[in-house]
Amino acid sequence: MSVSREQVERYTKYRLERLIGMTQPSAQSGVLARLRRGVGHHPGSQPWLWGELLSEMPQEMMNNSGEPSNAEMAVYTALTLFALHQQSKDIKSECMHCEGTTLGAACGSLVADENDRDRVARRFNAMATSANLSELSNHLRGIVQLLRAKDIGLDYSALAGELYVYSFKARRNDIRLKWGQDFYREIYNNIDKNKEDENNE
């Protein structure tokens, strides 16, 4: 990988902070709406998003061939999914970019009790075994909608870094395992906490 995961995460965090920190609500809403329209589409088909994606992006992260680089695709996917996640929520009081909440942990938070585990795990496993970044982004769209409905945030700069690494077949299983570890750790923590709460009632 000529570009590091940390570079992808830093640039994504920079774009997110600029978006979240915008002081004109109408302009901010416009950017979020344009980003949402980009979910699931090729970056080349979305010229109105090129500024949000490419402006100030380090040149080593950009491709020269007309096809998006792995880094460009990771940033694009993370930013557009964030906009989908943020839909109908106030970005100041309910920001869905939540630093430190990994994809696996966020998905684990969808499991409210043991009855939920198999249902959520099936969707999670289908996502984690995606053959490529395009298939993965399609699964992520559905998962982000579930997270939005439950008001569960996600670290989108970390997600961009994970998507970047996932785009390299040789490193894919490393990311999958991390997702699985975080997913089941969160499930067990939630179930133990719920049982403890029930015992204290």
Side-chain angles (χ1 to χ4, degrees), residues 98-188:
C98 184
E99 289 192 21
T101 302
T102 65
L103 178 60
C107 290
S109 295
L110 291 168
V111 179
D113 54 44
E114 293 183 1
N115 296 325
D116 276 345
R117 189 184 325 196
D118 289 345
R119 177 181 58 82
V120 176
R122 280 194 298 272
R123 294 198 68 156
F124 181 74
N125 291 341
M127 176 209 70
T129 54
S130 298
N132 51 53
L133 195 54
S134 177
E135 182 183 339
L136 177 60
S137 66
N138 287 334
H139 285 293
L140 282 172
R141 182 176 186 171
I143 284 175
V144 163
Q145 289 170 328
L146 292 177
L147 295 174
R148 183 181 67 198
K150 297 286 188 180
D151 296 325
I152 298 169
L154 177 61
D155 189 331
Y156 277 91
S157 53
L159 177 64
E162 291 178 332
L163 294 176
Y164 176 62
V165 176
Y166 196 93
S167 64
F168 296 92
K169 192 172 182 179
R171 296 287 308 280
R172 202 164 288 165
N173 285 337
D174 297 342
I175 296 297
R176 286 171 172 156
L177 178 59
K178 180 65 166 59
W179 285 341
Q181 290 166 338
D182 291 347
F183 178 70
Y184 283 99
R185 185 180 298 112
E186 187 68 19
I187 287 175
Y188 295 138

Side-chain angles (χ1 to χ4, degrees), residues 2 4 40 43 45 90 166 192 194:
S2 57
S4 71
S45 69
D90 181 78
Y166 196 93
D192 288 346
N194 290 340

Side-chain angles (χ1 to χ4, degrees), residues 63-133:
N63 208 341
N64 295 318
S65 68
E67 283 295 315
S69 67
N70 292 336
E72 288 172 296
M73 276 305 302
V75 175
Y76 175 85
T77 302
L79 291 178
T80 55
L81 286 173
F82 166 71
L84 177 65
H85 201 162
Q86 195 61 49
Q87 189 173 17
S88 303
K89 296 183 184 295
D90 181 78
I91 202 167
K92 302 301 181 189
S93 61
E94 292 182 285
C95 184
M96 292 293 102
H97 170 55
C98 184
E99 289 192 21
T101 302
T102 65
L103 178 60
C107 290
S109 295
L110 291 168
V111 179
D113 54 44
E114 293 183 1
N115 296 325
D116 276 345
R117 189 184 325 196
D118 289 345
R119 177 181 58 82
V120 176
R122 280 194 298 272
R123 294 198 68 156
F124 181 74
N125 291 341
M127 176 209 70
T129 54
S130 298
N132 51 53
L133 195 54

